[in-house]
Amino acid sequence: MSQIPRLSVRHLTKRFATLLANDDVSLDVMPGELHCLLGENGAGKSTLSSCLYGLYRPDAGEIRVDGKTVHLRSPGEAIRAGIGMVHQHFVLVPGFTVLENVAVGTGSGWRLGRAEALSRIEAICSTYGISLNPHRLVADLSVGEQQWVEIVKALYTGARLLILDEPTAVLTPEESRRLFAIVRRLTTESLSVVLISHKMAEVMQSDQVSVLRKGRLVGTVSTSDVSRDQLTTMMVGRSVAAPVRAGDAKAPGETVLSVRGLTYLREQRPVLDNASLDIAGGEIVGIAGISGNGQDELFECLAGLIPPDRGTISLDGEALQANSPATMAAKGVGYVPSDRFRDGLVADLDIGENLVLGQQWQARWRNGPFIDAAALDANARTAIGAYSIAATGPSAPSRKLSGGNAQKVILAREFAKANRLLLCNQPTRGLDVGAIEFVHRELQRKRDEGCAILLASEELEDLFALTRRICVMFRGRILAVLDTEKTTYDEIGSLMAGHESEAAA
């Protein structure tokens, strides 16, 4: 194997105003190496990968590819240097076919050599065992299939270094295993892969791990020489307990939430299809499923954001005929949405204001006809301390929060609001292991206080560690409700892929 690194980063520094996102980072990635970037939210992983792909220009430092210094001023220049990237949020055109998405912009002038492009795409798919119809519209593909399109596109452009940003966030366990098998095949052919992941089971499959903390490189280690616990300690600076199955403090109480036949139509097609479930006080029930299989619509119906077309929702035995977010909040229902910036926060409000969003009409936040600024300030300071929100204070603008800190603001508000029912849709999405540990403890605390909790997560570890029962959703339907202690990852994963026969047992 060549001793010249495929990628060499030397003393890379990137600032955003007063924020030092990457501070003198140096690392090497060898040909045929699977190299993981590991770090908490805000550690600088995304900034570093954006510099490597030409989305940002570093303020200082040097990037070399195969020993040659490159100045990457755009993704196009990165692609020409042999760097490909599969983003966590895909950059595909839904109205284009697979062929068009892969090949557009890579031909000569304005013309797309379809026959040649088709031949190359089919050869890539055949070589790596990827099942894709080049003539299908991307809009008609599953989320997992769209990921394969992104990977094929990177290989099509001749990438020698492939950056994968949280690649399994939208995949079933079986699809994840298949992805890593293909990644290993790529590395045997001298292609280098940089993996950004917070899932320790994936991190441990890499050859080398570079750990970032607060913008600086803590160290690069051979994965075979360290344990998961050692890597976690490097990442957060302290020991963190791995998620384990935690038994309920006491038996669940009376039924709090009862849902029957809930259906929601979009363009006359059910995206939520005849869903029924019950949750008791002091119980956490899980929702497993690949993103886009009706989970968002289920939660939005329960939170009063959208009216179901059919079905009933009962809270503490009372049928809710025309519920709204305000009605549900008044009944002690908290809701953590899956998209924190679109649905969870108002970017133009500060932290203190966002922490009482939807409750600002309550007497405890009012001083006559006006908002009680002192009450908001005291509440915000308590929440910032309890949830370790990295912010300058209650008046810090919410639009400048990192994703993880924005999530903590939402959790603080909704956990305080919920005394009967807590609806948590992907509460640990994008959080680092230290924050996930905190969220797990808070969910268990709310459960032990008698709150009924519905928890959707794409992380099966979350569901197996926290829930009594797991509902598996596929194409808007609940295919099965399984006892967490009597099921397996493989059984859940098979149902997530739509293999309904698995529910027969």
Side-chain angles (χ1 to χ4, degrees):
M1 182 181 288
S2 170
Q3 294 306 303
I4 299 175
R6 173 59 41 77
L7 171 72
S8 185
V9 177
R10 288 291 175 268
H11 308 294
L12 187 144
T13 298
K14 178 63 180 175
R15 294 178 180 274
F16 297 98
T18 59
L19 174 65
L20 190 56
N22 287 144
D23 183 6
D24 195 34
V25 175
S26 297
L27 58 88
D28 290 327
V29 179
M30 303 303 293
E33 181 176 277
L34 176 54
H35 195 114
C36 180
L37 285 181
L38 181 64
E40 296 183 274
N41 284 307
K45 307 184 300 297
S46 294
T47 301
L48 177 58
S49 63
S50 294
C51 289
L52 297 178
Y53 195 57
L55 293 167
Y56 297 150
R57 297 187 195 179
D59 298 309
E62 183 181 24
I63 300 171
R64 299 180 204 142
V65 177
D66 291 326
K68 180 181 178 181
T69 298
V70 293
H71 302 283
L72 306 174
R73 290 162 292 195
S74 69
E77 292 190 3
I79 290 169
R80 286 189 287 275
I83 300 173
M85 184 170 182
V86 178
H87 301 266
Q88 185 174 0
H89 302 289
F90 305 145
V91 287
L92 300 172
V93 181
F96 282 11
T97 65
V98 171
L99 169 65
E100 291 163 340
N101 268 283
V102 170
V104 73
T106 62
S108 175
W110 291 97
R111 299 189 62 183
L112 173 64
R114 287 180 175 271
E116 180 186 352
L118 180 61
S119 177
R120 287 179 59 193
I121 291 169
E122 288 177 338
I124 292 170
C125 290
S126 175
T127 298
Y128 298 108
I130 298 172
S131 179
L132 277 178
N133 180 346
H135 303 295
R136 287 186 68 191
L137 289 176
V138 162
D140 295 332
L141 300 180
S142 70
V143 181
E145 288 172 323
Q146 291 180 39
Q147 176 129 64
W148 295 121
V149 176
E150 290 275 24
I151 291 172
V152 169
K153 183 174 183 177
L155 298 175
Y156 183 92
T157 60
R160 303 188 302 280
L161 174 73
L162 181 60
I163 303 171
L164 301 177
D165 187 2
E166 300 285 357
T168 64
V170 296
L171 302 182
T172 67
E174 179 55 37
E175 288 173 325
S176 298
R177 285 191 287 268
R178 187 165 160 238
L179 171 66
F180 271 84
I182 289 176
V183 165
R184 273 302 172 196
R185 173 107 181 245
L186 292 170
T187 60
T188 63
E189 298 179 4
S190 196
L191 189 140
S192 302
V193 178
V194 173
L195 169 70
I196 302 172
S197 179
H198 67 276
K199 299 180 180 180
M200 294 306 294
E202 296 175 4
V203 174
M204 297 306 292
Q205 295 184 56
S206 63
D207 301 309
Q208 299 281 314
V209 182
S210 289
V211 182
L212 296 172
R213 192 194 316 156
K214 296 181 179 179
R216 294 189 63 86
L217 181 73
V218 176
T220 297
V221 295
S222 295
T223 314
S224 58
D225 294 337
V226 294
S227 67
R228 294 166 60 135
D229 289 345
Q230 288 171 315
L231 284 174
T232 300
T233 301
M234 288 178 67
M235 178 170 56
V236 302
R238 63 179 178 85
S239 177
V240 176
V244 294
R245 174 70 187 151
D248 297 326
K250 55 186 177 181
E254 298 294 322
T255 298
V256 172
L257 176 71
S258 183
V259 176
R260 291 292 178 270
L262 209 61
T263 299
Y264 181 75
L265 305 176
R266 182 175 294 127
E267 297 178 352
Q268 303 306 308
R269 296 175 59 185
V271 290
L272 180 62
D273 190 0
N274 198 36
S276 298
L277 60 89
D278 294 309
I279 311 176
E283 178 185 35
I284 304 178
V285 172
I287 298 286
I290 303 169
S291 177
N293 276 277
Q295 303 98 310
D296 286 353
E297 289 76 16
L298 172 62
F299 277 84
E300 288 171 5
C301 284
L302 296 178
L305 289 166
I306 58 175
D309 290 284
R310 292 191 296 274
T312 61
I313 302 170
S314 297
L315 189 68
D316 287 324
E318 177 190 355
L320 303 176
Q321 301 298 331
N323 56 320
S324 66
T327 300
M328 299 305 282
K331 291 181 178 296
V333 177
Y335 170 50
V336 178
S338 62
D339 190 323
R340 62 191 66 137
F341 289 112
R342 185 191 71 190
D343 302 322
L345 294 177
V346 175
D348 291 334
L349 299 182
D350 62 31
I351 291 175
E353 292 165 334
N354 267 295
L355 281 167
V356 301
L357 195 64
Q359 308 166 72
Q360 64 271 20
W361 44 267
Q362 294 180 359
R364 58 179 172 153
W365 307 122
R366 311 291 299 187
N367 183 4
F370 304 105
I371 292 288
D372 188 336
L376 262 63
D377 184 86
N379 177 67
R381 292 188 184 281
T382 299
I384 288 170
Y387 284 77
S388 301
I389 299 168
T392 54
S395 60
S398 298
R399 67 170 64 256
K400 293 189 176 181
L401 292 172
S402 69
N405 285 303
Q407 185 77 332
K408 289 178 182 179
V409 171
I410 298 167
L411 292 171
R413 180 185 68 221
E414 301 303 323
F415 279 37
K417 183 192 303 181
N419 54 51
R420 294 305 298 142
L421 174 65
L422 178 58
L423 305 169
C424 281
N425 192 358
Q426 315 301 331
T428 62
R429 177 181 281 166
L431 299 186
D432 54 69
V433 290
I436 289 171
E437 177 193 41
F438 175 80
V439 173
H440 283 200
R441 287 200 309 268
E442 287 299 289
L443 284 167
Q444 291 164 344
R445 178 180 65 81
K446 294 300 294 185
R447 174 204 65 191
D448 294 345
E449 290 175 356
C451 194
I453 301 174
L454 183 64
L455 169 67
S457 179
E458 289 157 11
E459 308 291 344
L460 290 184
E461 280 189 349
D462 282 354
L463 300 182
F464 275 86
L466 294 166
T467 68
R468 288 173 59 89
R469 295 176 290 134
I470 299 176
C471 306
V472 186
M473 293 192 71
F474 179 75
R475 293 181 180 172
R477 297 175 55 218
I478 295 178
L479 295 189
V481 182
L482 304 172
D483 186 318
T484 306
E485 294 185 336
K486 296 178 181 178
T487 188
T488 65
Y489 279 67
D490 285 343
E491 184 178 12
I492 297 290
S494 183
L495 284 161
M496 287 168 62
H499 302 152
E500 193 167 358
S501 60
E502 297 291 332

